């Protein structure tokens, strides 16, 4: 395989407005606006996670191509390694976006529990009666720990790859030898595979949360409709006339 191999195009994905909605949700005083924003954000988040997962899969496949190239050459040339750096930096961005979405959706669960007692009392099929907020936190912790273990096995730390500057610095050091390049590609491939799995789990959590929220909203609306029907029946009820010859007088 030569260095002139056609490389897969890697699209960029931005987390969009949903990941920035966490603070906005806490600032919305109008509960109706809060509900509307949550419903629209749920659809946006689902679309974003689909795109992010697809991007992680593309990066995973691309890094495997780089590994195969490196096995047939002493060292990847600078222009190819530059593409490796770009893909690994996009992978770092994917991790950040997943963490941001997790925080945002967990925050939404907290806000709803604070504002609506009926939501806070709603039972879910989450394990151990957990809230979605705590479940998102558990997902976030597991994702970070898994990545940390993968990096540690390659003598790297999460701090080195926590920022774009740190990622580029670490990759420049690893690019100086074929062994370093292979290690970076293998670590990147493992993390990409992990993120494909983790983003699918995160998407499942978001879908479960939105389903539960839809059930809650439907119940709330049903209760409102029933109360309104009872009011209308009461106020529109026929008034019985007093029979002729009877008179109303106080009873002591």
């Amino acid at each position: 395989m030569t260095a002139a191999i056609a490389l897969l195009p890697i699209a960029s994905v931005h987390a969009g407005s949903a990941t920035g909605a966490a603070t906005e949700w806490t600032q919305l005083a109008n509960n109706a606006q809060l509900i509307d924003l949550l419903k629209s954000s749920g659809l946006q988040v689902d679309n974003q996670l689909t795109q992010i997962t697809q991007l992680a899969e593309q990066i995973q496949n691309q890094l495997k191509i780089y590994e195969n190239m490196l096995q047939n050459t002493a060292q990847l040339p600078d222009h190819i390694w530059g593409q490796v750096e770009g893909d690994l930096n996009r992978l770092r961005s994917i991790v950040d976006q997943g963490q941001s979405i997790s925080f945002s959706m967990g925050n939404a669960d907290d806000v709803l529990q604070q504002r609506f007692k009926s939501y806070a009392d709603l039972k879910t099929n989450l394990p151990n009666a957990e809230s979605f907020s705590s479940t998102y936190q558990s997902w976030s912790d597991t994702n970070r720990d898994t990545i940390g273990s993968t990096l540690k096995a390659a003598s790297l730390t999460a701090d080195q790859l926590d920022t774009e500057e740190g990622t580029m610095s670490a990759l420049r050091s690893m690019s100086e030898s074929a062994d370093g390049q292979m290690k970076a590609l293998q670590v990147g491939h493992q993390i990409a595979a992990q993120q494909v799995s983790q983003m699918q789990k995160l998407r499942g959590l978001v879908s479960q949360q939105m389903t539960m929220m839809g059930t809650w909203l439907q119940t709330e609306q049903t209760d409102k409709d029933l109360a309104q029907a009872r009011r209308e029946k009461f106020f529109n009820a026929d008034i019985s006339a007093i029979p002729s010859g009877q008179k109303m007088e106080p009873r002591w």
Side-chain angles (χ1 to χ4, degrees):
M1 187 176 298
T2 66
I5 185 171
L7 301 180
L8 297 174
I10 302 293
S12 66
V13 172
H14 300 284
S17 61
T19 56
T23 54
E24 187 174 355
W25 289 338
T26 61
Q27 292 168 359
L28 281 175
N30 186 305
N31 286 341
Q33 291 178 339
L34 170 65
I35 297 300
D36 288 343
L37 180 60
L38 281 168
K39 287 191 290 187
S40 62
S41 293
L43 181 60
Q44 290 179 32
V45 167
D46 185 72
N47 291 335
Q48 289 164 11
L49 286 172
T50 298
Q51 295 178 56
I52 291 170
T53 302
Q54 291 172 347
L55 178 56
E57 289 174 339
Q58 289 183 47
I59 292 175
Q60 181 184 4
N61 294 334
Q62 185 65 72
L63 293 177
K64 192 62 179 178
I65 291 176
Y66 294 137
E67 284 185 56
N68 293 335
M69 292 172 62
L70 186 55
Q71 290 173 355
N72 292 280
T73 185
Q75 195 169 342
L76 292 177
D78 290 344
H79 71 283
I80 297 296
W81 186 252
Q83 296 177 58
V84 173
E85 290 181 342
D87 290 343
L88 290 176
N89 195 44
R90 275 186 282 272
L91 181 58
R92 179 196 58 78
S93 178
I94 284 175
V95 174
D96 289 345
Q97 290 179 52
Q99 294 290 344
S100 182
I101 288 173
S102 172
F103 172 79
S104 181
M105 298 307 292
N107 180 269
D109 189 63
D110 285 336
V111 172
L112 285 172
Q113 289 193 57
Q114 291 166 7
R115 295 198 183 184
F116 302 97
K117 186 179 185 304
S118 59
Y119 179 89
D121 291 342
L122 189 65
K123 304 301 181 184
T124 74
N125 58 353
L126 293 173
N128 303 319
E130 292 181 340
S131 67
F132 277 100
S133 180
S134 61
T135 304
Y136 280 117
Q137 185 61 54
S138 177
W139 176 91
S140 178
D141 293 342
T142 299
N143 195 35
R144 283 199 306 267
D145 291 345
T146 302
I147 293 172
S149 297
T150 302
L151 293 172
K152 185 177 181 180
S155 301
L156 293 169
T157 66
D159 290 341
Q160 286 178 281
L161 302 181
D162 195 40
T163 63
E164 182 175 355
E165 182 179 351
T167 300
M168 292 299 101
S169 177
L171 291 175
R172 278 192 291 270
S173 298
M174 300 178 84
S175 70
E176 295 174 358
S177 68
D179 288 342
Q181 288 186 343
M182 182 59 75
K183 183 184 293 185
L185 291 171
Q186 290 173 343
V187 168
H189 187 272
Q190 290 180 49
I191 292 177
Q194 292 165 6
Q195 291 311 294
V196 171
S197 175
Q198 287 296 101
M199 293 306 160
Q200 289 171 342
K201 291 178 181 178
L202 182 57
R203 187 182 179 194
L205 270 178
V206 171
S207 177
Q208 191 176 0
Q209 181 183 13
M210 298 312 295
T211 298
M212 191 198 77
M213 194 180 86
T215 301
W216 167 69
L217 286 172
Q218 186 175 23
T219 302
E220 286 285 289
Q221 189 59 49
T222 299
D223 289 344
K224 289 179 181 178
D225 292 344
L226 180 59
Q228 179 63 23
R230 286 172 175 170
R231 282 193 296 269
E232 290 177 358
K233 183 177 181 181
F234 176 80
F235 287 110
N236 294 332
D238 293 334
I239 301 176
S240 300
I242 299 175
S244 178
Q246 276 192 337
K247 62 179 178 179
M248 297 182 64
E249 56 185 26
R251 301 279 183 174
W252 304 101

